[in-house]
Amino acid sequence: MRNFYHEQLAQLNEELIKMGADCEEIIGLAARALTDCSDHLTEETTRIGAAIDERERTIETICLKLLLRQQPVAKDLRQISAAMKMITDMERIGDQAEDIVDLIPKMSKAAGEDAAVLNQMAEAAKNMVTEAVDAYVKQDLTLARKVMGDDDIVDDFFCAMKSAIIGLIAANAGDGEYALDLLMIAKYFERIGDHCTNIAEWVEFSLTGIHRSCQ
């Protein structure tokens, strides 16, 4: 029975890694859409979003099998419970990246130079996803806590974007609608960073038994 448990846990880790890779890809597509909002990119984003949803269902099934058949206790139970919480945040990352791609074609003008900070936000968020999932698979508490700290990087970019938007409106009030669209996109990327932090906090819980929301 214990061998079956380890096989299922290995499958869980593999599916989480794949789901994390899908999240990285869809964040990258959202960033690309700032300068290339082609139909092909929109279709690819929809495809990856559907793959993320499917992986969420697959991982839920694996976790439920482990809970029902193995009746895990203590650390094993925390590890499985954390995975079920993590995939909720990962699914929302996919949704918000899709929202960005849906919004961009409706903007009054292309982001142009204003896309630079948004691209930096996207890159920072992609790194957070990668490291958060790695922290779970490798059971690395230090890496999980690094991800939590890296959310400050995304927040700093968000603050920089808000300042740039204020300057944009001050220079040309006619760009108000465009500025609001930029702010919305920046907020989506900022929320993606928050979801990555949530994932890292669940990794911490799986290892320590303590979740920060309870402190």
Side-chain angles (χ1 to χ4, degrees):
M1 290 292 287
R2 197 64 185 171
N3 286 339
F4 175 80
Y5 172 80
H6 286 300
E7 288 172 5
Q8 289 287 292
L9 192 60
Q11 185 183 358
L12 171 62
N13 288 344
E14 183 179 341
E15 290 296 328
L16 278 169
I17 290 169
K18 290 177 180 177
M19 192 173 182
D22 286 340
C23 287
E24 292 172 49
E25 185 171 1
I26 204 167
I27 294 168
L29 290 171
R32 275 179 53 196
L34 293 164
T35 53
D36 171 20
C37 56
S38 65
D39 290 342
H40 171 73
L41 188 142
T42 301
E43 291 168 2
E44 184 68 6
T45 302
T46 301
R47 184 186 69 79
I48 299 298
I52 289 172
D53 291 343
E54 183 61 30
R55 291 203 193 282
E56 181 186 26
R57 290 188 287 270
T58 298
I59 292 169
E60 282 179 344
T61 299
I62 294 170
C63 288
L64 289 173
K65 285 180 180 179
L66 285 167
L67 290 171
L68 294 172
R69 295 180 183 178
Q70 302 298 311
Q71 298 181 339
V73 295
K75 185 176 181 297
D76 290 345
L77 179 59
R78 294 199 307 269
Q79 190 172 1
I80 297 165
S81 300
M84 295 186 72
K85 294 291 188 179
M86 288 165 59
I87 58 175
T88 299
D89 281 292
M90 293 166 81
E91 189 271 337
R92 288 174 181 167
I93 287 171
D95 287 347
Q96 287 169 343
E98 287 189 82
D99 287 340
I100 292 170
V101 175
D102 287 343
L103 173 62
I104 288 170
K106 302 170 187 173
M107 293 174 66
S108 58
K109 66 177 186 178
E113 293 181 2
D114 297 309
V117 174
L118 296 173
N119 276 313
Q120 290 174 303
M121 290 183 76
E123 191 62 31
K126 282 171 61 179
N127 290 337
M128 288 177 71
V129 172
T130 303
E131 293 186 341
V133 175
D134 281 351
Y136 178 86
V137 172
K138 297 174 182 176
Q139 298 289 277
D140 188 333
L141 183 59
T142 300
L143 184 57
R145 288 174 174 167
K146 176 185 179 296
V147 173
M148 297 177 211
D150 286 348
D151 189 44
D152 290 340
I153 298 172
V154 178
D155 289 344
D156 287 345
F157 283 133
F158 181 63
C159 290
M161 197 69 219
K162 285 195 295 184
S163 296
I165 289 168
I166 291 169
L168 179 67
I169 296 173
N172 185 358
D175 280 337
E177 183 178 350
Y178 166 69
L180 287 173
D181 287 337
L182 286 178
L183 182 60
M184 181 67 72
I185 292 168
K187 187 61 181 176
Y188 279 132
F189 279 128
E190 189 266 342
R191 286 297 297 139
I192 287 172
D194 288 343
H195 286 305
C196 294
T197 300
N198 290 345
I199 294 168
E201 288 178 351
W202 283 112
V203 175
E204 182 181 55
F205 165 78
S206 74
L207 294 169
T208 67
I210 299 171
H211 194 277
R212 296 193 174 211
S213 65
C214 300
Q215 291 180 318

